Amino acid sequence: MVYGHLTVGGIETLIVRLARTLVLRGVEVCICYMPGGALDPLIDSRVHLIQYRSTSHLSAALTSLLRALGPSDETLVLSFDPISAARGLALEVVLGRQTRVSQLSGVFHPHAYFMNGERRDRRVLNHLVARGVGMEQLFFMNSECRSSHADRLKTDLSRCPILPLPIETVDAAWGPSAEPGLRVVSVGRLVPFKSYNVGAAAIVRESRSRGVPIKWDIFGEGPYEVTITKAIQESGVAGLVRLKGTLDYRQFASCVSQYDLFVGMGTAALEAAMLGVPTICATIDEPRHCYGYLDTLPFGNVGERLSEPPTVDIRGLIELYSAMDADEKMRIGQRSRAAALRYGTSSFLNDLNSAAQVAAKSPRRSIVFRKCVAEAYRCVTETRLAHLARVVRNGVRRKPVQPTGRA
């Protein structure tokens, strides 16, 4: 498994959980990652670890590990975004000298290969990475992600498997509280597409003005923290909407189950729902609207936009929930849990195994092409020249405009 820093996030927790499940099944697993993430201590002790600083360092470390482990008939590289997929191509070159190797690469965002604000040259390079991996070696978390990439990559991806996000099955731990007030919680990286974190401030202000005694805690860190803080201050709800920092993943269940309602998306929404917490599934890039509770969404969709825009007002859902009695709240929690139970790890692994067998037999781009794409990505993202170019570009963007003296 190849990735970057194992911070607290949906893909990162998936890697840790998946590795643990695989080693319990007798599979030899190696995680290649950049050190310093909050999840590093949670990796199973039976997993081989490679901490790397660069792609070149990673390739050398993997070569050393392969010598120590001895020969293997077949190896599967798992990557989880365009960056790790490019590094996966470099590993294919290294592994291909000693074993039969194939790569599967997951797509966990509807714009993963063409994120908003990403430079055109980077998008072109991402497209080359997808071609290097092999279009049929991509797997998608839901049909919405697959459709958006088929449109933008201008290729038929109908044969690519859909593997919904897996989570561990745990016992329910939530029940309606007799305490006064309504406590809402969100957990996840504070990034622009999770706009519900910004919308929380206005929702709390409006709901309290309508007599709903609501408080909202937001756990997470990320580049959108300043924007969220500004929204809280402008809405005058400091102390009612609180940024709580990163939540220790080991404390997720005990913490989240103490709240009345969860609002969020992705793995965090599934894990909250698994506990039995009533879970409103937010929608990408939507601060105020969604499609409803988790159980109202199609299987595999945990926050992506459907063909029709979301029209359910989050504030309205929260206010309706606050007026329910304990039995009604319990039923919503049970519905949320029933939806989460469909995302078991066993079915994911079965589908992953099937996809791996297909990938192993599928024709691939030449090793020369894969090596060239991997090297191009390394040059664009890791070299000193690339770093200098980013510094210069960011400096130009920040440079103030000088007055010309003209009217």
Side-chain angles (χ1 to χ4, degrees):
M1 299 187 196
V2 189
Y3 199 61
H5 295 286
L6 294 178
T7 54
V8 179
I11 296 175
E12 295 84 352
T13 56
L14 166 63
I15 291 170
V16 173
R17 292 194 311 273
L18 193 57
R20 180 170 61 245
T21 303
L22 286 170
V23 295
L24 287 172
R25 296 188 176 196
V27 179
E28 199 158 46
V29 178
C30 175
I31 297 180
C32 307
Y33 67 106
M34 292 182 168
L39 298 181
D40 294 6
L42 303 187
I43 302 174
D44 192 286
S45 60
R46 292 161 291 190
V47 175
H48 301 292
L49 304 179
I50 292 179
Q51 296 183 347
Y52 68 94
R53 299 180 300 275
S54 66
T55 302
S56 300
H57 178 211
L58 171 57
S59 298
L62 182 62
T63 300
S64 299
L65 177 63
L66 290 173
R67 290 198 198 102
L69 294 178
S72 173
D73 292 333
E74 190 170 357
T75 302
L76 175 67
V77 175
L78 271 181
S79 55
F80 302 86
D81 59 12
I83 297 175
S84 60
R87 289 173 180 150
L89 290 175
L91 295 190
E92 287 188 55
V93 176
V94 174
L95 289 164
R97 300 168 188 154
Q98 304 184 41
T99 180
R100 187 171 60 195
V101 61
S102 56
Q103 180 176 180
L104 288 177
S105 191
V107 181
F108 299 94
H109 188 284
H111 302 153
Y113 278 73
F114 46 92
M115 294 296 271
N116 294 336
E118 201 164 41
R119 302 190 316 272
R120 179 177 173 80
D121 62 322
R122 190 65 170 267
R123 293 186 182 191
V124 170
L125 194 51
N126 287 347
H127 193 167
L128 290 174
V129 169
R131 290 176 60 191
V133 173
M135 293 298 183
E136 292 188 5
Q137 275 68 51
L138 301 177
F139 67 90
F140 296 83
M141 65 179 289
N142 52 42
S143 59
E144 289 77 24
C145 287
R146 187 171 68 179
S147 295
S148 62
H149 280 77
D151 291 342
R152 290 300 292 267
L153 298 177
K154 294 181 172 56
T155 188
D156 181 12
L157 299 176
S158 60
R159 297 179 62 182
C160 294
I162 292 176
L163 279 64
L165 283 169
I167 59 171
E168 290 180 330
T169 301
V170 299
D171 293 335
W174 181 87
S177 173
E179 297 293 324
L182 182 66
R183 297 166 301 161
V184 180
V185 63
S186 297
V187 180
R189 288 273 297 159
L190 305 182
V191 290
F193 69 85
K194 297 184 178 181
S195 302
Y196 59 91
N197 289 311
V198 177
I203 290 172
V204 167
R205 184 193 69 230
E206 294 166 16
S207 292
R208 291 187 72 91
S209 71
R210 293 161 60 89
V212 180
I214 176 178
K215 293 184 178 180
W216 195 322
D217 286 346
I218 300 171
F219 288 90
E221 295 179 349
Y224 229 40
E225 186 172 344
V226 173
T227 302
I228 297 167
T229 300
K230 181 179 178 181
I232 292 171
Q233 293 171 345
E234 290 178 348
S235 295
V237 291
L240 300 174
V241 179
R242 302 183 297 178
L243 289 174
K244 304 279 285 184
T246 298
L247 175 62
D248 188 328
Y249 188 57
R250 291 167 290 193
Q251 305 300 319
F252 183 93
S254 59
C255 176
V256 171
S257 60
Q258 300 302 310
Y259 288 84
D260 300 297
L261 189 62
F262 184 94
V263 178
M265 60 175 56
T267 302
L270 291 176
E271 292 187 321
M274 178 64 75
L275 298 170
V277 181
T279 300
I280 295 174
C281 191
T283 303
I284 282 178
D285 297 327
E286 286 286 343
R288 300 290 300 263
H289 291 91
C290 68
Y291 294 103
Y293 289 100
L294 179 66
D295 60 291
T296 64
L297 286 165
F299 179 61
N301 187 308
V302 285
E304 285 68 43
R305 294 179 71 88
L306 302 174
S307 56
E308 297 294 328
T311 58
V312 179
D313 182 55
I314 294 176
R315 191 202 74 193
L317 270 186
I318 291 173
E319 292 180 4
L320 285 173
Y321 178 84
S322 70
M324 294 178 181
D325 61 31
D327 289 341
E328 290 175 304
K329 292 176 179 177
M330 193 69 190
R331 282 194 289 272
I332 291 179
Q334 290 169 343
R335 281 172 22 209
S336 296
R337 176 173 167 80
L341 284 168
R342 300 177 64 194
Y343 292 82
T345 303
S346 294
S347 59
F348 177 87
L349 286 176
N350 290 338
D351 292 341
L352 186 68
N353 183 55
S354 298
Q357 292 178 22
V358 172
K361 299 174 183 177
S362 299
R364 303 294 309 281
R365 293 277 178 177
S366 70
I367 192 69
V368 174
F369 180 84
R370 284 178 277 164
K371 185 175 182 178
C372 288
V373 172
E375 181 61 17
Y377 213 97
R378 187 191 70 81
C379 290
V380 168
T381 59
E382 296 181 9
T383 60
R384 291 182 178 179
L385 182 61
H387 175 71
L388 178 61
R390 284 194 294 271
V391 170
V392 171
R393 184 173 59 251
N394 291 337
V396 169
R397 287 176 180 172
R398 287 193 295 266
K399 185 177 179 180
V401 176
Q402 298 297 324
T404 64
R406 298 175 182 174

